[in-house]
Amino acid sequence: MSTRLSKGGRLIDRAHAIEISFNGKRLRGYRGDTLSAALLANDQMLVGRSFKYHRPRGIVASGAEEPNALVNLGAGARAEPNQRTTTTEAFDGLVAASQNHWPSLDYDIGAVNNLAARFLPAGFYYKTFIHPRPAWKHLFEPIIRRSAGLGKAPAEPDADRYEQVYAHCDLLVAGGGIAGLQAALIAGAAGARVMLLEQTAHWGGRAPVDGDVIDGKPAEEWITATLDALGKMENVTLKTRCMVAGVYDHGYVLAEERVADHTPGDGRPRKRLWRIRATRVLSATGALERPLAFAGNDIPGVMLASAVRDYVGNWAVSPGDRTVVVTNNDDAYRTAIALKEAGLEVPVIVDARAQANGALPQKARAMGIRVEAGRAIVKVKGGKRVTGVALGLMAGEGAVLEEIACDAVAMSGGWSPVVHLWSHCGGKLTWDRARAMFRPDAARPPLTQDGSALVIAAGAANGALTGAEALADAAEAGVAAVKSLDLKAKTTPIGKAEAVEEAMIEPVWMMPQGAKASLRMKMWLDFQNDVKVSDVQLAAREGYQSVEHTKRYTTLGMATDQGKLSNINGLAILADALNEDIPAVGTTTFRPPYTPVTIGALVGEARGEIFQPLRRTPMQGWHEAQGAYLEPVGLWRRPYCYPRAGETHEQAVNREILNTRANVGLLDASTLGKIIVRGPDAGRFLDMLYTNVMSSLPVGKCRYGLMCNEQGFLSDDGVVVRLAEDTWLCHTTSGGADRIHGWMEDWLQCEWWDWKVYTANVTEQYAQIAVAGPKARLVLEKLGGMDVSKETMPFMTFAEGELAGIPARVHRISFSGELSYEIAVPASHGLALWEKLVAAGAEFGVMPYGTEAMHIMRAEKGFIMIGDETDGTVIPQDLGLDWAISKKKADFLGKRGQERTYLASPDRWKLVGFETLDGSVIPDGAYVLDAGTNDYGFRKAQGRVTSTYHSPTLQKGIAMGLLRHGPQRMGEVVEFNTMAGGTVAARVVNPVFLDPNGEKQNG
Amino acid sequence: MLILECPYCGVKAEETELQPGGEAHLKRFGPGSSPEDFEAYMFARKNPKGVHFERWRHAYGCGKWFLAARCTATLEVFGTYPAQSPEPPADLVNKIKAKRPEWKGWK
């Protein structure tokens, strides 16, 4: 059993006991424990179930690489699934629950999958669920959906807040082990702005646990002294609990700081996302130990050798009374020695190498530990916990020579440098054959904007695995970093670690080397996703040669740990199965984040009201005070309607329309895009931009215009106003102002840069109000100050003057089909004018109307709407707007595009109106059915609806849409499909349902 | 997140300040052009792994369009220059040639 030792534990504070809860059980721990340490101290080795077979899973690692020990942390609004117990700091009152099992961790029904394991091989999903097709929808998918995913999403909104911080530095050092500390010290001393980020709560990395001796003293003393020196440098920022998640283009770095994970509810943000711009990045991220592949290596109690050492040294936790160590290198002997020194039993060290005569093996032997070289674990015995191991010859096929009882196994397959940060931005790796590892290839680093190296690797992350090598390497890297920043290195103390001679590793990818199939089926590569040696070999037999394909076929490395433990072993197995060299097979792509980053941190403060910046018109407050129902239009929030007490939105919209048609309505049209185009060449420029001629527009007049893209498709529309001889005002759609302004600038700056034209987007400089309805003129006359009579101000003209004392530009334009004035005033006068209009209009029955009333009224009048009648594939000619396309102009944007044969085809779908025979409303998006079916068995279509509404004015459903040969088919009855699966019959009619001769708007 | 120096205002702008505009130095083909020329102008874009010339707008800065030469594989930026350039400046071309001897030129 695993238990707490009576002495030791460099990170725990025995004076402060804490109590945590796991699956409702109360467990005791100490301040300084990780959740893993506290669980193991209470003999809770079993912590979860694997994804596919629901096999019992125990704690394997002691750090971020942990694949198994994922739990649900916290409850209610602070619940968070899939948290690694190895990186979770324990605190008094912590609540955790295991995942992926039913009904309980100990008795899990899903474990029946394990019995069927031989029928669930790699690619099982792809192979099984293809036929019969209905079975996928009704049988397989529901089952898979229910069983998929580890943990459960919290049901309540997150109670915590998250924040984001921007920072800049010359050198970002990722990793606060001895290499990171040494490199930061050199760079800091040279005057560089340094950020040193460490993902755990402690500095120094593995050195103290591994017993490194630096400058003749225990590593801990050197670490403290170095930190002290760094702390005194104002140009150095030190952060623990801060994981560098990713390195991106040109030195953009994301890091996640765990601020209050271990002190929930204390008022601080839960996490802080650092968005850093670093000139250089120094990756001192250490190395990860690899598991060994032997049968039963997934049984709880089998752990990484380094993790066993960590639990004993850091937290005084013994993973077992009797621990068998199995290795292919000398480093794992440190674990055996540490266990023995802690008074625990190591029945045997199983060394796959033919000989084990290095300094560490000799020390182990001298301590009385039995060392068996050339041996392998044939299989681990046990179910929910290791009970023993069966040993055999490494060179053999798995014949058992001896069985040894034990309750834990410490395995080491060698070390893999953490090359993630090196690789994120394109750094290449080299296979170090002698040391059996991929390490950064210094000749092919990721580059920054000037073509120099962005990332410098140092220490174990660079393949310098021992303390002595790591410090020497970090010193070199630190100096190189200083040089790359054009700074001068100052004399800085360089730590010197005592070198411990280690014999060479011997790569072992499978144990024993000739293991038969029954053993290979029990050798786990990916513990979380249940991928075994046999699965990767099967993928190779089935033709998967690329490591990227094999990954996706087998799901190797696709779990939440992203293959930190499994990738190298898996690709070595693949290389062997393909009879290829390991570097020829290569690695999968290392992508950020290094470990999962919570969505909350990525979202930061952008929640609720401040999710995005909102644009407000000068009258926004009035609308809100009236209880307007708002709808998003770009970043605007426009009134959709102004419901009165007891009214539904539909009733409000109908009332607003009928009142506007009978009396007068007010629309806040301030969001309408307004772009001033001015200069000697402005007319020529607008003639290129619009399909019709704008240069000929007389001063004082308005003209409706269309803009197309170069392909000829309709892009935006609006009324153009000739303000002066050299000045035009272009109205655009509400959502289109910024886009169209950018479009104008693009052509002016990049194509016609010698044309003398100036543009200004003045959308927010003016408030604009539409006063529409038969009594509109009466309201304006009551305000007084301008002659708004039909004679002085006919339709499609404008005048400038003062209305009720407010400087105003009044346009006679109409989007409702009514007698209509659109009044533009400086934004600061917008609310005043609005309130004056409301007051003056009272006796005429004025009411504000919203965007929905606007939409319906324009549809009643047959006016097109960009985004409804257009979708990027529609040309003006499709909409019967040929009259707005100049035949005379030699060129305009989109002219050549519209000449393309398929756009000139007479068979295109063209705009018509539709009226249902039964008066109902055609569903949004419905198609006009045609005879027959297409190649996919779907009913053919000959048109579609683009706008469809109930018209309160006409008391029936009306619609606009595109129909093949539409304008030639007036009076014909066609059929639309409905959501219910039926059809609705409609007559093809003129799209102008109201006032086709324009008597109202011209009046 | 690229950093490109705006040749107008001199700001070393981050990608979030910039709006991409696709391939640079396109020749516009309007009315009267052949279907082949128009198709090439409209749709046939280079997508090289290596040296590439691109349009960018300093949209959340000075608002100016400019052109950039960079390596799409390594993200190295060779230089930026004003949009009002019918072709890349000679010194920039020479600089790229010196760094990438295998490069076949910008056309």
Side-chain angles (χ1 to χ4, degrees):
Chain A
M1 62 181 286
S2 64
T3 185
R4 181 83 69 180
L5 299 165
S6 59
K7 280 183 297 193
R10 54 182 281 270
L11 299 182
I12 54 168
D13 177 1
R14 290 184 193 256
H16 285 96
I18 58 170
E19 197 174 82
I20 63 166
S21 151
F22 179 74
N23 285 349
K25 258 192 302 188
R26 297 193 163 292
L27 307 176
R28 277 172 62 84
Y30 291 118
R31 188 185 287 176
D33 269 336
T34 61
L35 180 52
S36 281
L39 290 171
L40 288 174
N42 290 275
D43 196 28
Q44 187 68 52
M45 179 63 85
L46 177 66
V47 287
R49 295 274 174 170
S50 65
F51 185 62
K52 189 164 157 190
Y53 303 135
H54 291 243
R55 300 257 304 179
R57 285 287 176 256
I59 296 163
V60 171
S62 58
E65 70 274 32
E66 173 63 40
N68 290 343
L70 303 179
V71 296
N72 188 86
L73 266 190
R78 289 216 160 79
E80 207 174 4
N82 295 333
Q83 297 305 296
R84 294 177 304 280
T85 63
T86 50
T87 57
T88 300
E89 292 174 57
F91 55 87
D92 200 37
L94 179 149
V95 178
S98 53
Q99 312 180 143
N100 204 34
H101 53 70
W102 186 84
S104 77
L105 179 57
D106 274 316
Y107 302 98
D108 175 27
I109 301 285
V112 69
N113 284 4
N114 186 32
L115 302 176
R118 61 157 62 229
F119 305 113
L120 297 168
F124 167 70
Y125 296 114
Y126 306 110
K127 289 167 181 163
T128 312
F129 299 126
I130 293 174
H131 299 288
R133 293 202 65 100
W136 168 254
K137 190 167 180 192
H138 300 292
L139 181 64
F140 300 132
E141 192 186 2
I143 293 173
I144 291 171
R145 290 228 176 273
R146 213 172 312 143
S147 61
L150 292 161
K152 282 204 180 71
E156 293 175 39
D158 196 335
D160 284 305
R161 65 191 179 89
Y162 303 81
E163 66 181 21
Q164 299 191 349
V165 185
Y166 291 84
H168 295 260
C169 63
D170 299 322
L171 183 68
L172 183 130
V173 181
I178 54 173
L181 289 166
Q182 177 68 71
L185 188 69
I186 293 168
R193 288 178 306 161
V194 176
M195 289 184 79
L196 173 57
L197 309 183
E198 161 59 35
Q199 64 179 349
T200 72
H202 306 282
W203 297 102
R206 298 203 53 81
V209 169
D210 286 352
D212 285 345
V213 176
I214 304 177
D215 297 338
K217 284 175 261 174
E220 197 107 46
E221 288 185 33
W222 181 87
I223 292 163
T224 308
T226 307
L227 266 179
D228 198 40
L230 285 168
K232 288 187 180 125
M233 297 178 182
E234 282 181 5
N235 51 325
V236 175
T237 306
L238 302 168
K239 289 235 160 267
T240 53
R241 301 187 174 105
C242 194
M243 184 268 302
V244 178
V247 174
Y248 304 83
D249 307 355
H250 296 176
Y252 182 64
V253 176
L254 271 191
E256 185 193 49
E257 183 182 2
R258 295 178 286 119
V259 180
D261 268 1
H262 55 297
T263 55
D266 72 346
R268 294 184 297 169
R270 173 88 176 250
K271 290 193 166 92
R272 182 178 291 137
L273 189 77
W274 287 82
R275 307 175 66 163
I276 304 164
R277 272 288 175 188
T279 309
R280 310 276 170 204
V281 175
L282 195 140
S283 170
T285 46
L288 296 177
E289 194 166 25
R290 294 192 293 258
L292 282 167
F294 47 83
N297 63 346
D298 71 321
I299 295 172
V302 180
M303 301 172 73
L304 294 174
S306 59
V308 169
R309 199 148 86 228
D310 283 341
Y311 286 113
V312 171
N314 286 337
W315 299 287
V317 167
S318 147
D321 297 344
R322 291 167 58 82
T323 303
V324 167
V325 175
V326 55
T327 183
N328 64 346
N329 62 74
D330 276 8
D331 180 64
Y333 284 80
R334 291 191 170 95
T335 299
I337 293 164
L339 287 165
K340 196 80 181 169
E341 282 174 349
L344 297 163
E345 202 50 48
V346 179
V348 64
I349 299 174
V350 182
D351 196 323
R353 298 172 296 182
Q355 289 181 336
N357 295 320
L360 288 163
Q362 281 179 21
K363 184 173 174 190
R365 281 200 190 88
M367 292 172 83
I369 304 174
R370 178 183 162 200
V371 176
E372 288 287 349
R375 293 291 159 93
I377 290 184
V378 171
K379 127 193 241 190
V380 179
K381 305 176 82 77
K384 287 178 209 157
R385 186 66 201 252
V386 171
T387 57
V389 292
L391 303 188
L393 291 174
M394 180 60 203
E397 292 177 19
V400 176
L401 298 176
E402 181 184 3
E403 290 192 0
I404 295 176
C406 62
D407 51 2
V409 175
M411 62 181 165
S412 176
W415 291 79
S416 296
V418 174
V419 295
H420 297 64
L421 301 186
W422 173 268
S423 304
H424 284 169
C425 246
K428 299 289 185 285
L429 304 176
T430 180
W431 175 248
D432 187 329
R433 195 169 302 278
R435 296 169 156 228
M437 64 185 178
F438 279 105
R439 59 176 170 77
D441 184 351
R444 295 180 297 165
L447 302 186
T448 189
Q449 60 264 50
D450 63 0
S452 60
L454 171 63
V455 180
I456 300 164
N462 196 29
L465 293 179
T466 67
E469 289 171 343
L471 277 178
D473 187 57
E476 252 179 62
V479 171
V482 167
K483 254 195 206 156
S484 74
L485 293 166
D486 290 328
L487 296 170
K488 257 191 129 60
K490 302 255 164 54
T491 314
T492 314
I494 309 289
K496 200 165 162 40
E498 265 174 33
V500 179
E501 178 249 334
E502 287 186 27
M504 272 312 190
I505 181 178
E506 213 164 85
V508 169
W509 309 116
M510 191 166 80
M511 171 177 265
Q513 72 170 33
K516 53 197 181 205
S518 60
L519 293 175
R520 297 200 304 267
M521 281 180 67
K522 295 288 176 197
M523 294 178 182
W524 262 256
L525 293 169
D526 187 319
F527 298 99
Q528 192 182 128
N529 264 3
D530 278 325
V531 183
K532 301 161 295 174
V533 167
S534 54
D535 294 319
V536 173
Q537 290 171 333
L538 176 67
R541 284 202 301 280
E542 293 185 349
Y544 287 86
Q545 301 191 344
S546 153
V547 64
E548 297 282 8
H549 290 157
T550 302
K551 167 180 168 173
R552 282 148 186 88
Y553 191 56
T554 61
T555 72
L556 175 82
M558 286 170 65
T560 61
D561 60 326
Q562 288 287 291
K564 289 189 177 61
L565 296 188
S566 60
N567 274 354
I568 303 295
N569 286 352
L571 72 90
I573 295 288
L574 180 66
D576 176 65
L578 295 172
N579 212 6
E580 292 254 25
D581 212 12
I582 287 175
V585 170
T587 64
T588 52
T589 309
F590 294 90
R591 291 195 180 86
Y594 176 60
T595 59
V597 172
T598 194
I599 297 284
L602 297 174
V603 169
E605 304 277 14
R607 294 165 69 178
E609 280 295 300
I610 54 171
F611 171 66
Q612 59 184 176
L614 291 185
R615 303 175 77 174
R616 298 171 64 82
T617 76
M619 295 80 97
Q620 195 79 21
W622 191 93
H623 305 319
E624 287 167 10
Q626 291 290 311
Y629 173 70
L630 304 175
E631 71 161 342
V633 178
L635 294 177
W636 303 100
R637 294 292 176 270
R638 300 188 70 182
Y640 174 93
C641 62
Y642 299 81
R644 292 180 172 175
E647 261 185 351
T648 64
H649 291 168
E650 193 185 357
Q651 288 167 337
V653 169
N654 288 347
R655 170 181 51 75
E656 290 167 11
I657 293 171
L658 293 174
N659 185 69
T660 303
R661 296 268 184 238
N663 298 309
V664 56
L666 295 181
L667 175 79
D668 180 357
S670 307
T671 60
L672 206 68
K674 306 167 203 76
I675 301 169
I676 302 272
V677 179
R678 181 173 204 165
D681 291 314
R684 180 188 182 197
F685 174 61
L686 292 178
D687 282 350
M688 285 302 293
L689 224 60
Y690 285 91
T691 58
N692 40 357
V693 183
M694 290 300 172
S695 56
S696 65
L697 181 66
V699 174
K701 289 269 166 69
C702 310
R703 186 171 286 166
Y704 175 69
L706 306 171
M707 276 191 238
C708 293
N709 59 24
E710 272 284 67
Q711 291 197 54
F713 298 121
L714 192 49
S715 145
D716 207 78
D717 69 347
V719 171
V720 177
V721 178
R722 182 85 177 257
L723 292 177
E725 196 51 44
D726 66 344
T727 310
W728 283 254
L729 168 65
C730 301
H731 288 113
T732 74
T733 55
S734 287
D738 297 320
R739 178 174 57 87
I740 295 300
H741 184 236
W743 171 247
M744 289 177 172
E745 283 298 316
D746 191 349
W747 288 100
L748 283 174
Q749 292 180 34
C750 303
E751 187 71 21
W752 304 308
W753 63 71
D754 53 337
W755 293 12
K756 295 186 175 65
V757 184
Y758 181 80
T759 71
N761 184 353
V762 295
T763 300
E764 296 197 22
Q765 272 62 44
Y766 292 93
Q768 195 143 323
I769 302 169
V771 186
K775 297 179 184 168
R777 185 173 287 131
L778 298 175
V779 178
L780 264 59
E781 281 171 354
K782 188 164 183 217
L783 284 185
M786 287 177 73
D787 183 352
V788 293
S789 66
K790 182 178 178 181
E791 295 68 34
T792 313
M793 198 187 292
F795 188 54
M796 294 309 267
T797 64
F798 78 93
E800 286 176 331
E802 280 202 358
L803 210 54
I806 298 172
R809 186 173 58 246
V810 181
H811 313 86
R812 269 294 305 275
I813 52 181
S814 177
F815 196 41
S816 55
E818 292 299 323
L819 166 65
S820 166
Y821 297 86
E822 288 207 10
I823 309 165
V825 297
S828 56
H829 293 287
L831 180 60
L833 177 65
W834 180 273
E835 286 177 338
K836 281 178 197 284
L837 284 165
V838 171
E843 66 182 273
F844 306 108
V846 74
M847 289 180 196
Y849 66 94
T851 50
E852 185 64 2
M854 173 189 79
H855 280 286
I856 295 177
M857 285 194 280
R858 67 88 197 167
E860 288 174 340
K861 179 66 181 156
F863 289 144
I864 64 139
M865 185 88 187
I866 298 293
D868 285 348
E869 274 63 45
T870 70
D871 64 356
T873 68
V874 170
I875 56 174
Q877 292 87 336
D878 296 338
L879 303 179
L881 295 169
D882 307 66
W883 58 268
I885 302 166
S886 166
K887 306 270 186 305
K888 283 183 252 158
K889 286 195 291 186
D891 193 5
F892 59 82
L893 296 180
K895 184 175 168 74
R896 176 64 185 87
Q898 288 168 2
E899 287 168 358
R900 288 179 292 169
T901 49
Y902 76 98
L903 290 183
S905 160
D907 293 330
R908 286 184 67 80
W909 295 1
K910 298 209 169 189
L911 187 76
V912 290
F914 295 105
E915 275 180 18
T916 53
L917 301 188
D918 61 2
S920 65
V921 179
I922 299 168
D924 258 320
Y927 278 86
V928 185
L929 300 174
D930 201 355
T933 55
N934 67 13
D935 291 348
Y936 305 100
F938 293 115
R939 186 76 182 265
K940 281 188 181 170
Q942 53 176 329
R944 61 186 169 87
V945 72
T946 54
S947 294
T948 171
Y949 299 100
H950 170 76
S951 161
T953 316
L954 302 168
Q955 293 289 319
K956 62 182 175 188
I958 61 164
M960 296 162 75
L962 299 168
L963 179 67
R964 188 188 304 130
H965 305 143
Q968 299 151 42
R969 297 169 64 178
M970 290 298 158
E972 197 179 309
V973 173
V974 294
E975 282 196 320
F976 286 89
N977 58 348
T978 66
M979 290 296 281
T983 59
V984 56
R987 192 179 309 282
V988 180
V989 297
N990 184 337
V992 185
F993 293 90
L994 195 82
D995 189 23
N997 297 323
E999 284 148 11
K1000 284 161 79 81
Q1001 71 182 16
N1002 299 343
Chain B
M1 295 268 252
L2 303 175
I3 292 178
L4 298 174
E5 185 172 325
C6 173
Y8 289 96
C9 64
V11 165
K12 287 186 173 66
E14 200 193 52
E15 207 170 317
T16 50
E17 294 171 49
L18 302 169
Q19 175 194 331
E23 188 181 328
H25 301 302
L26 292 180
K27 176 176 161 35
R28 178 170 183 260
F29 283 91
S33 59
S34 70
E36 293 72 26
D37 282 344
F38 184 70
E39 181 195 19
Y41 158 56
M42 215 59 263
F43 305 112
R45 292 290 184 272
K46 291 186 191 123
N47 185 22
K49 182 178 181 182
V51 180
H52 193 36
F53 295 83
E54 295 172 328
R55 286 153 30 86
W56 290 87
R57 186 181 183 211
H58 196 188
Y60 296 99
C62 66
K64 293 289 187 190
W65 281 94
F66 63 89
L67 307 180
R70 71 179 181 102
C71 175
T72 57
T74 66
L75 308 182
E76 178 173 0
V77 180
F78 303 110
T80 56
Y81 51 102
Q84 295 81 42
S85 312
E87 55 183 59
D91 58 340
L92 178 62
V93 170
N94 291 336
K95 179 180 170 186
I96 300 170
K97 275 184 182 157
K99 287 195 165 199
R100 303 289 161 95
E102 75 286 356
W103 179 52
K104 293 197 172 70
W106 69 277
K107 277 220 164 155

